[in-house]
Amino acid sequence: MTDSKQFSFPDENGYYGQFGGAYIPEMLQANIDKLQKTYQSILADNDFQKAFHTLLKDYVGRPTPLYFASRLSEKYGTNIYLKREDLCHTGAHKINNTIGQILLAERLEKKRIIAETGAGQHGVATATVCALRNRECIVFMGEKDMERQAPNVARMKMLGATIIPATSGSKTLKDATNEAIRYWINHGEDTHYIIGSVVGPHPYPAIVAQLQSIISEEIRRQLLEKTGDALPTHLIACVGGGSNAAGAFYHFLHEKKVQLIGVEAAGKGVESGESAATTFLGTTGILHGCKTLLMQTKDGQVVEPYSISAGLDYPGIGPLHAHLFTSGRAVYQQATDDEALKAAFELAKLEGIIPALESAHALAVLPKNKFKTTDKVVISLSGRGDKDLATLIDKM
Amino acid sequence: MSRLQKIFAQQKPILNVYCTAGFPHPESTMDVMLSLQEFGADMIELGIPYSDPLADGPVIQESNATAIKNGMSIQKLFADIKSFREKIHLPVILMGYLNPVLQYGFEKFCQDAAAIGIDGMIIPDLPDAVFEKQYAPIIKKYKLDFIFLVTPETTDERIKKLDRLSSGFLYAVSSSATTGNTNKLTGINAYLQRFNALSLHNPVLVGFGIGNKEMFMEVNKLAAGAIIGSAYIKAIRDAQNVNTATKSFLSSILG
């Protein structure tokens, strides 16, 4: 087995190392079974690939630029490139996945799409592709998040989606995911569930990672064009569930020379009791159908995470990341709310780009790492900051 | 013959009643179990509360959240049961999600459960492949029964496999749904007839959405009995007295 295989693809049972699998009740077995048996052939199919890439180009606006950030580079004494996922249609990388999964749903002949959303970015990306491909769309969103992210709720409604508030538990992303899974249990025969991150039962982490891998495919090509070498020295991306990081790391997983850095939300500080620093605080357990690292009590009750960024406010990480972390292939660092805010303002002032608060966490570790003047540091700028303006204005 | 096998040897419809441990009050577990025994249940299924019960509808979810707030945990549950297990002659099975069991330690869980007279367990999110590979020998070592769920969408071949891996009984989910979700049993007869045609080695109990006498009688025509959960939780959640609420609930089903 090559390194590339070991990290890019789960084994036949859906495990990345010891993490992954499909820990689902029997009520989901038929649907998951069908997905497991068909996803590889559907994703590899020529017609699928053609339709996927055409939409990415003409509708999403790919390839997104790899931008050399000269003033930021100067400040940190190195060479910093920003992968501009914030320029995707709908404002974040999330749509790479939903475009692929709506095409998958069509091939599975499912008439209805469901999705969970935290900040609303994945919900908007799902509602968008449902409008595009004429599918019924239901988005589950924590009642608390619906208040925090009202503009995205309005966007989803305008796109024709039905929003169902998750009123159980802590009324945030974790509970929205529970509600989406429960809905799927009750309506499995005609419904496809578009999970928004590299989480959930096998084969979801593999599907989402593969669809997001377009990010690193482009980085390789663009970096080669710009510098004559396809490999950066460092690749930095924020990690909630970890889909933009999985996509940005994907085609570099087997390149040992590339240092992969995932950045988790430390909220008010990793030891504050209010954070989402999963690799730092988490232990092995089962969440949303997969074995992974998650934040939990000693009794195995899932702990409610906290971050200023709703997109990183998740108590687990995808099984691929759990494996990259425990195997040491990638390192995971933490950035607090304040550090992320500072980085967001810095990027706005130095480069004229207002990043999403999620992406600002990736920028926030720049001062914490030592770079050489010859290093090439690629940062995944996963989303734009429009949705966070209310929070940002508050801190000005 | 295990206690579960003895129950099924009685040749009468079996009523298994589910209740979340530590619900509605921190110390309700003994009351609930003694009352169920006194008023005619044949088997007791105790739920281990979990923060994220994926297979459960709103009623049982809420009971899980209440029980966690009430301080219920596997440690407390085992200590509680140990103190009164001798008063209960019915078989007792535990139903819980995998994560809390894993954190307690799977083997320690089985060892401690067996030591206090637990008869079997249901872990709905434990995949059969993982069970077969890692956990079946432990279950066997502690002489516990382990029960798998099947649904109307489960293929015949898979039903046979899950029957082979199960002991005690096979749990037939009435429809592909979360708990407490159905009020009608559409197509239940054709579904249950499938089991009879497969000549399974376990008796079949039907659960999810069974909430009244009529439905209990209906499934008894073709299955060994039924499991009632959400309807019982509703009956006791606001009750002043668990004993009288259980009496009136069970007489509405069995009377």
Side-chain angles (χ1 to χ4, degrees):
Chain A
M1 192 183 268
T2 68
D3 279 347
S4 164
K5 262 207 127 141
Q6 180 193 343
F7 290 115
S8 317
F9 298 101
D11 70 17
E12 56 182 354
N13 297 314
Y15 287 85
Y16 298 91
Q18 55 165 312
F19 302 106
Y23 293 80
I24 49 163
E26 184 64 22
M27 291 77 84
L28 286 177
Q29 188 66 38
N31 263 337
I32 290 295
D33 212 36
K34 180 148 192 218
L35 266 182
Q36 288 177 355
K37 287 189 176 118
T38 55
Y39 86 97
Q40 279 170 318
S41 61
I42 292 175
L43 261 51
D45 176 66
N46 277 338
D47 288 344
F48 177 94
Q49 283 295 325
K50 202 176 153 201
F52 180 52
H53 286 282
T54 303
L55 283 172
L56 288 183
K57 177 167 175 278
D58 297 340
Y59 188 72
V60 176
R62 302 203 74 91
T64 59
L66 183 71
Y67 164 69
F68 176 68
S70 58
R71 294 189 66 202
L72 196 64
S73 297
E74 194 181 333
K75 165 143 196 198
Y76 291 100
T78 189
N79 305 290
I80 298 171
Y81 296 83
L82 302 177
K83 181 57 176 165
R84 299 291 309 275
E85 293 301 298
D86 60 316
L87 295 178
C88 287
H89 179 43
T90 72
H93 73 290
K94 290 289 184 190
I95 197 160
N96 302 328
N97 171 42
T98 60
I99 290 276
Q101 286 213 48
I102 195 81
L103 297 173
L104 177 63
E106 287 177 3
R107 279 150 181 81
L108 295 168
E109 295 176 348
K110 304 283 185 178
K111 62 168 193 181
R112 188 188 299 114
I113 299 298
I114 56 168
E116 84 295 339
T117 197
Q121 290 305 101
H122 174 58
V124 168
T126 305
T128 298
V129 298
C130 286
L132 177 71
R133 306 297 285 197
N134 193 22
R135 286 286 191 281
E136 184 187 347
C137 180
I138 302 176
V139 177
F140 295 84
M141 189 170 188
E143 206 171 39
K144 212 182 273 173
D145 289 337
M146 287 180 71
E147 286 164 25
R148 292 197 284 190
Q149 310 282 339
N152 270 343
V153 174
R155 286 167 85 194
M156 287 186 274
K157 284 186 181 157
M158 191 168 167
L159 292 160
T162 303
I163 321 297
I164 299 185
T167 56
S168 61
S170 55
K171 303 173 179 135
T172 60
L173 177 57
K174 166 176 89 76
D175 310 287
T177 308
N178 289 338
E179 289 305 323
I181 293 174
R182 288 183 188 120
Y183 184 92
W184 203 30
I185 287 175
N186 286 292
H187 301 86
E189 71 292 345
D190 58 359
T191 302
H192 177 66
Y193 178 21
I194 301 189
I195 291 186
S197 193
V198 285
V199 300
H202 173 63
Y204 275 108
I207 291 174
V208 180
Q210 245 171 282
L211 295 173
Q212 291 291 1
S213 72
I214 185 73
I215 301 173
S216 48
E217 193 184 311
E218 289 176 4
I219 294 173
R220 280 192 83 113
R221 201 167 60 229
Q222 292 166 320
L223 205 59
L224 178 67
E225 233 166 66
K226 282 184 198 304
T227 70
D229 184 351
L231 303 186
T233 51
H234 302 75
L235 220 165
I236 307 176
C238 65
V239 177
S243 70
N244 98 84
F249 292 173
Y250 199 88
H251 290 286
F252 299 105
L253 290 169
H254 62 292
E255 306 278 10
K256 290 266 167 69
K257 285 194 312 206
V258 181
Q259 189 178 352
L260 306 174
I261 302 172
V263 185
E264 302 175 326
K268 295 179 178 168
V270 280
E271 310 279 13
S272 68
E274 290 183 80
S275 104
T278 308
T279 62
F280 195 85
L281 300 167
T283 50
T284 301
I286 310 288
L287 178 66
H288 295 142
C290 72
K291 184 179 266 191
T292 190
L293 293 170
L294 64 129
M295 290 164 44
Q296 57 184 327
T297 66
K298 66 169 176 39
D299 289 336
Q301 309 295 354
V302 181
V303 166
E304 196 48 42
Y306 163 81
S307 165
I308 193 169
S309 132
L312 302 182
D313 201 349
Y314 185 71
I317 49 171
L320 167 63
H321 290 293
H323 180 47
L324 294 175
F325 171 71
T326 49
S327 67
R329 173 64 191 96
V331 298
Y332 291 79
Q333 300 179 353
Q334 289 78 30
T336 62
D337 288 356
D338 289 345
E339 289 164 341
L341 283 165
K342 200 174 154 203
F345 283 107
E346 180 177 87
L347 190 73
K349 295 228 168 79
L350 287 180
E351 298 289 348
I353 298 169
I354 301 172
L357 281 174
E358 289 78 12
S359 323
H361 284 74
L363 297 160
V365 300
L366 283 171
K368 301 181 180 190
N369 289 275
K370 283 209 175 83
F371 301 108
K372 289 191 235 131
T373 53
T374 51
D375 282 347
K376 287 185 287 183
V377 181
V378 173
I379 299 175
S380 174
L381 199 67
S382 55
R384 70 179 82 131
D386 306 30
K387 70 181 176 62
D388 298 313
L389 276 185
T391 312
L392 291 165
I393 289 166
D394 226 32
K395 305 285 176 185
M396 269 165 82
Chain B
M1 204 186 261
S2 77
R3 235 184 315 222
L4 280 176
Q5 283 169 331
K6 272 184 212 153
I7 287 287
F8 286 105
Q10 292 173 31
Q11 301 292 330
K12 62 156 212 157
I14 298 302
L15 177 62
N16 175 8
V17 181
Y18 167 93
C19 187
T20 308
F23 178 84
H25 307 295
E27 305 304 330
S28 295
T29 313
M30 182 172 79
D31 258 5
V32 164
M33 292 175 77
L34 288 173
S35 304
L36 286 171
Q37 173 168 280
E38 183 180 352
F39 301 114
D42 300 296
M43 192 189 302
I44 298 169
E45 183 179 325
L46 276 180
I48 298 164
Y50 180 45
S51 53
D52 298 77
L54 279 183
D56 287 300
V59 173
I60 293 182
Q61 279 172 45
E62 212 179 289
S63 72
N64 274 248
T66 303
I68 292 170
K69 263 188 219 138
N70 286 344
M72 185 46 70
S73 64
I74 294 174
Q75 278 90 346
K76 174 162 166 55
L77 176 60
F78 283 175
D80 286 358
I81 294 175
K82 193 177 176 184
S83 70
F84 60 74
R85 180 64 178 104
E86 60 188 26
K87 296 182 190 165
I88 310 282
H89 58 78
L90 297 186
V92 178
I93 57 177
L94 299 179
M95 182 277 176
Y97 289 83
L98 183 56
N99 196 52
V101 176
L102 285 184
Q103 303 316 314
Y104 189 87
F106 195 93
E107 174 145 12
K108 183 169 183 277
F109 180 85
C110 293
Q111 185 176 12
D112 293 355
I116 55 165
I118 296 296
D119 296 284
M121 52 212 255
I122 301 172
I123 303 180
D125 58 344
L126 175 58
D128 51 291
V130 177
F131 174 82
E132 231 179 332
K133 211 166 119 191
Q134 293 179 35
Y135 300 127
I138 301 172
I139 294 286
K140 207 172 167 189
K141 177 173 167 189
Y142 294 101
K143 298 189 173 62
L144 290 163
D145 286 315
F146 194 92
I147 293 109
F148 276 94
L149 272 59
V150 297
T151 78
E153 272 74 51
T154 310
T155 59
D156 285 356
E157 193 188 346
R158 194 168 155 77
I159 291 173
K160 280 195 219 163
K161 182 186 179 188
L162 296 173
D163 175 54
R164 180 168 56 73
L165 293 178
S166 297
S167 60
F169 64 93
L170 192 64
Y171 192 139
V173 177
S174 63
S175 65
S176 264
T178 44
T179 52
N181 208 345
T182 47
N183 290 309
K184 50 184 192 300
L185 298 169
T186 325
I188 193 82
N189 286 349
Y191 172 45
L192 296 180
Q193 270 153 6
R194 269 175 68 203
F195 297 113
N196 296 340
L198 291 171
S199 47
L200 306 176
H201 83 259
N202 288 297
V204 172
L205 291 186
V206 184
F208 284 44
I210 311 291
N212 57 39
K213 179 172 182 156
E214 192 191 346
M215 294 162 102
F216 181 57
M217 305 273 281
E218 178 71 20
V219 302
N220 287 340
K221 288 181 200 156
L222 289 163
I227 303 159
I228 295 183
S230 300
Y232 177 63
I233 297 276
K234 270 193 224 169
I236 62 165
R237 71 182 164 193
D238 300 316
Q240 292 293 320
N241 182 317
V242 164
N243 188 267
T244 50
T246 303
K247 181 180 181 184
S248 90
F249 180 77
L250 285 181
S251 71
S252 80
I253 304 289
L254 300 168

